[in-house]
Amino acid sequence: MAPSQNLEAEGITRRRSLAALAGAGALALAGCTQSSGDGGSGGDGSGDGSGDGGDSLSGSINIAGSSTVFPLMSAVMEDFAEEHPGIDPTISSTGSGGGFSNYFCVGETDFNNASRPIQPEEEQLCADNGVEYIELIAATDALTVVVNPEADWIDSLTVEELATIWESDAVETWDEVRNEFPNEEIERYGAADTSGTYDYFIESVLGERGHTSDYQATEQDNNIATGVAGSEYAIGYFGFAYYFQNPDQLKALGIDSGDGPVEPSLETASNGEYTPLSRPLFTYPSMESLGNEHVAEFARYFVEQTTNEDLVAGDVGYVPATEETQEEQSQKLEDAIEQAQG
Amino acid sequence: MATDDSNAAGFGEVSRVRGIAFEYLSLGASVAGLVALGVLLVYVAIDAFDLANASPEWLLTYFLTLVVPFLLFCLYSAGDPAVTRRVAGVLGGGLVVVAAAFAAIEAFVVTIPRLSWQLAYLFVVVAPTTAYLAYVGSRGRVGAVGFGLLGRLVGGVAIGLAVGTLFLVFDELVWFLAYTLGVLPAAALYAYGSRRAANRAVTAAIPVGLVGLVAAVFLRGVVGTYPSDLIIYLWTLAVPIAAVGAFLVDARGSRVGAAVVGGVPLALATAGGFLAGSVGLPGPTTLIVIALTGVPTAVYVHRVIDGGDGVVGLGLPLLIGGGVLVGALVVEAWGVPAPDPWLDPGYVTEAPSRTAAEAGLYPAIVGSVIIIALVAVLSFVLGVGTSVFLEEYTAGSGVVGSLTRLLQINIANLAAIPSVVYGLLGLGLFANLLGFGYGTAVTASLTLSLLILPITIISAQEAIRSVPDDLRRGSDAMGATRWQTTKNVVLPEAFPGILTGTILALGRAIGETAPLIMIGAATTVFSAPTSLFSRFSAMPMQIYAWAGFPQADFRYGVVAAGVITLLIILVGMNGTAILLRNRAERGN
């Protein structure tokens, strides 16, 4: 403890210095002021587009749905958000079905991505909650069947052979698929039953015959790739993007639907030769959201970008839409926007 | 021989084999986990900093300019020839052993992927040796001064960044009014009261502060004109910090020192804030960082120079900074091929991108920091409140006692519930019923607070229970009320233990993904949250999404950089809490 006289002396100087500081502060206050709008800078974020450089678009855009469409949607959104700093977008990768039932059909999200068309029970749920929507084609994917690069005994499969491998009453060994294949057990790696990829594979290849349960099911393409890369007698299927980005890691099989084997590529998928495994990917904007100008503008931008080869094919690994499809989608969208903003 | 046998039987000799076997098994068990984790972290670090592509020349350059001077500094501080000999032996011998072992493994067993013997030497020998030396060196006066200064610099920057991040979400205009009307008058009253022993002033401080806060919230809607952001931060943060610094120095009797310690950082912060604004950096954050770094550093430097002991240690930051600079110059001048790390300034300041090279984690970092700050406050208040009630206020017997025990059992069981269930609770209660919204920062913080609440309560209870009963009885005997005993005796004693529990719980909360998915937190956002009710993404969410990307660059480089960032923030958070705890322990 210092002596009390000292304290007195210090007290006075401190009071003086405080006064000086306050004076300086007051001067500064007079110099630089800001006026606050009703929201304030920490406010709700929508509405005041101050400092956006004259860009009038602002507001949030919430997107959920398919993990397959997720990379494409985030790539498009990245560019859109860069052009319009007032936009506050969020994208969640929830799976097609999860997105519809948990978020979209209860009116929580503006868009839902899907790697298959919306299903009847989801339509019902949306209708019950009064959520209207339109369907837009985002891109085309080529479901790719892969084997180990060491497996030089196999280059292609017919659709029927593929079905015997994956149907619910599936064959055990490779030589049961085709006689000249080795007598080794088949190891299967595929999409989990929550995934749109699984639904599409059943619909296009297996039909009534059902999907085998004797396989390693996963939502992550990486796990399928690791599994197939680990064994010469393994087979797996997933979206084209993974194979496109890692072509040396795995071997893609040609699929023979009657006109000879066709290997998956951006070209064969877009000109329709790669059947039946090329599939459209969708996004579903809700009509109510399209009534907002910033959401409508993003939807227009998205449709415009679906033909952008660098982005869709180069960066993400899907097949861009044709000019014709784009024209159609654009028309559909404009009609919907007009109706929504009516 | 026969006699020996009977003797042995007579004394009941026990075999020590089992004991020894158990000892080594325990050692093996403890080492196995640590080694596995260590190897994983080494590989994550190699990926994040692209060390696999670091040329030996590059490693050697920085080893000579950065590591060797640091080691010499520590050796100088330790001033013990035995330590010097030991370290020289380990570094030299380790070089030979690691190189030989590495070559042998590569030749006869397996090839070791993405690791050269130089890197192995750095991780296996140099890193532990440096850590050991830093520990030994910090016990010498010079080392203590050096690390003290370094800690204040790094800590100031970290806390400044955290505070700056929080103001992205909180309304700084409310803070301005609250500070001016509530915090400042209350603090002034309190300071005045305790200096002049005027109890009435001290008592009045809290009501005055509360009235000021309420007035601030009310006036926020009325007042239309405010000072600019920089002035607000200057007035509410930089000036008070500088004033406290100056006061601390002043109390040691140095008027001039006080002016310098308070004034220089304040001037620097003001200049920095305005300059940063003009070069595109966020001005307010720069101002806060400089103020929070500068003042404690200046106070510390003044104290060391005043004391005159270990002044040389103040050169440590210069030594390190100089080492980095010289290393960079050498690399530049001789064209040494340098690695291209994923974890670079762009990574922590930019938004996610579809290309790995441009991908950034900034929005997710801000999201995580904001959530964890809220969780820390909520779970601390709720956890300490519950545990104080359970330990100090409830009766041990009768109906209330049974109820307490029931509550106790339920809390213990809550700790074992899977985090997904808490996610469901958050979705149902906070997002749907209370309407805080899907995937908003508020919903996330409330959910995560509930998730870690049982852990906080149980550890706080343990800490309170470990306060000796004698202290309570002593306090009672002095005529203290239960509230006074709790406030003055129990809580200060238990504080370090409570903090330890909270730190561990927060570490769990920041890494949680499952509950965030359940409440609908976004996987990817492109801008930092602007309010507590805006949607956000957190680091684990974004890292998990990247791990599923098809491009190998994402799965290895970008994910690894994310993991390292998460770890750095976690360690920073824990470090702060540990410092607080140590201070509290010393205070006792």
Side-chain angles (χ1 to χ4, degrees), chain A residues 6-8 10-11 13-15 21-22 25 28-29 32-45 62 70-71 74-79 81 87-93 102-103 106 108-109 220 222 241-242 245-246 249 311 315-316, chain B residues 168-173 176 195-196 220 223-229 231-232 235 239 243 247 250-251 255 266 274 352-355 358 438 517-527 530-531 534-536 544-545 547-552 555:
Chain A
N6 226 353
L7 282 181
E8 292 287 328
E10 278 167 27
T13 35
R14 200 163 37 259
R15 216 176 291 158
L21 275 176
L29 284 180
C32 329
T33 55
Q34 60 176 327
S35 60
S36 82
D38 50 334
S41 56
D44 58 4
N62 297 318
F70 173 76
S74 12
V76 177
M77 188 53 100
E78 181 191 341
D79 290 343
I87 296 287
D88 179 23
T90 66
I91 309 179
S92 300
S93 163
N102 294 336
Y103 305 109
V106 291
E108 279 298 326
T109 46
Q220 290 266 8
N222 298 334
Y242 191 92
Q245 302 283 0
N246 305 273
Q249 198 183 344
L311 188 147
D315 288 339
V316 185
Chain B
L168 288 177
V169 171
F170 292 102
D171 188 354
E172 74 273 15
L173 303 183
F176 166 71
R195 299 277 293 187
R196 299 291 165 83
R220 172 67 183 86
V223 178
T225 308
Y226 292 89
S228 75
D229 282 356
I231 303 289
I232 290 181
W235 164 239
V239 170
F247 169 71
D250 191 40
R255 193 75 44 85
L266 191 60
F274 280 103
S353 167
R354 60 176 174 277
T355 55
E358 283 167 26
Y438 283 80
I517 294 178
M518 292 308 298
I519 61 155
T523 310
T524 296
V525 297
F526 295 96
S527 48
T530 49
S531 87
S534 51
R535 299 222 184 188
F536 75 101
Y544 180 69
F549 271 40
Q551 296 93 327
R555 280 179 286 133

Side-chain angles (χ1 to χ4, degrees), chain B residues 54-155:
Chain B
S55 59
E57 300 92 311
W58 188 84
L59 290 175
L60 185 67
T61 308
Y62 277 102
F63 182 72
L64 290 179
T65 60
L66 193 58
V67 180
V68 170
F70 179 74
L71 293 180
L72 290 177
F73 172 84
C74 293
L75 286 173
Y76 170 75
S77 168
D80 184 351
V83 173
T84 313
R85 273 197 301 277
R86 214 177 304 149
V87 166
V90 168
L91 286 180
L95 188 66
V96 178
V97 171
V98 168
F102 198 87
I105 293 176
E106 290 258 271
F108 299 115
V109 193
V110 283
T111 54
I112 302 172
R114 287 181 297 154
L115 207 60
S116 59
W117 68 265
Q118 293 98 333
L119 273 181
Y121 174 66
L122 279 183
F123 279 113
V124 175
V125 179
V126 177
T129 313
T130 312
Y132 165 75
L133 255 189
Y135 169 69
V136 174
S138 69
R139 299 211 293 189
R141 178 64 194 160
V142 174
V145 167
F147 286 113
L149 185 62
L150 206 59
R152 276 162 182 80
L153 285 171
V154 175

Side-chain angles (χ1 to χ4, degrees), chain B residues 256-468:
Chain B
V256 182
V260 171
V261 162
V264 171
L266 191 60
L268 278 179
T270 315
F274 280 103
L275 276 182
S278 58
V279 297
L281 285 168
T285 306
T286 314
L287 184 143
I288 296 171
V289 166
I290 296 179
L292 276 170
T293 314
V295 175
T297 308
V299 171
Y300 189 70
V301 168
H302 178 266
R303 202 167 79 202
V304 169
I305 293 178
D306 206 29
D309 196 9
V311 181
V312 186
L314 294 177
L316 180 61
L318 288 181
L319 192 72
I320 291 178
V324 172
L325 205 66
V326 171
L329 283 178
V330 169
V331 165
E332 186 73 25
W334 277 313
V336 177
D340 179 20
W342 291 106
L343 184 53
D344 53 11
Y347 185 80
V348 291
T349 54
E350 272 161 32
S353 167
R354 60 176 174 277
T355 55
E358 283 167 26
L361 198 57
Y362 174 69
I365 295 177
V366 175
S368 274
V369 168
I370 283 162
I371 292 170
I372 222 62
L374 267 186
V375 168
V377 173
L378 282 172
S379 64
F380 193 80
V381 171
L382 288 177
V384 173
T386 314
S387 51
V388 165
F389 175 73
L390 285 177
E391 287 299 315
E392 299 293 318
Y393 283 86
T394 52
S397 58
V399 182
V400 182
S402 317
L403 274 178
T404 314
R405 269 196 298 283
L406 193 67
L407 207 60
Q408 189 77 53
I409 292 170
N410 278 313
I411 289 171
N413 285 340
L414 280 180
I417 287 179
S419 52
V420 178
V421 180
Y422 282 98
L424 277 176
L425 174 71
L427 181 69
L429 183 64
F430 301 124
N432 279 338
L433 197 64
L434 299 180
F436 291 139
Y438 283 80
T440 57
V442 178
T443 309
S445 335
L446 288 170
T447 310
L448 289 180
S449 305
L450 276 192
L451 169 72
I452 63 167
L453 194 56
I455 313 177
T456 347
I457 293 176
I458 291 171
S459 56
Q461 270 186 299
E462 287 296 334
I464 291 176
R465 215 173 291 158
S466 68
V467 176

Side-chain angles (χ1 to χ4, degrees), chain A residues 11-135:
Chain A
I12 289 165
T13 35
R14 200 163 37 259
R15 216 176 291 158
R16 263 191 210 143
S17 56
L18 266 180
L21 275 176
L27 279 178
L29 284 180
C32 329
T33 55
Q34 60 176 327
S35 60
S36 82
D38 50 334
S41 56
D44 58 4
S46 67
D48 67 336
S50 56
D52 292 344
D55 188 344
S56 60
L57 282 188
S58 68
S60 62
I61 303 179
N62 297 318
I63 303 172
S66 165
S67 53
T68 313
V69 190
F70 173 76
L72 176 64
M73 195 47 115
S74 12
V76 177
M77 188 53 100
E78 181 191 341
D79 290 343
F80 189 72
E82 212 160 278
E83 279 176 36
H84 305 279
I87 296 287
D88 179 23
T90 66
I91 309 179
S92 300
S93 163
T94 61
S96 310
F100 276 123
S101 53
N102 294 336
Y103 305 109
F104 187 72
C105 291
V106 291
E108 279 298 326
T109 46
D110 303 315
F111 286 78
N112 196 64
N113 302 325
S115 55
R116 49 151 178 83
I118 187 168
Q119 289 182 343
E121 56 267 36
E122 291 158 356
E123 283 177 358
Q124 188 57 47
L125 182 63
C126 278
D128 289 348
N129 290 308
V131 174
E132 293 176 75
Y133 52 85
I134 59 167
E135 179 182 277

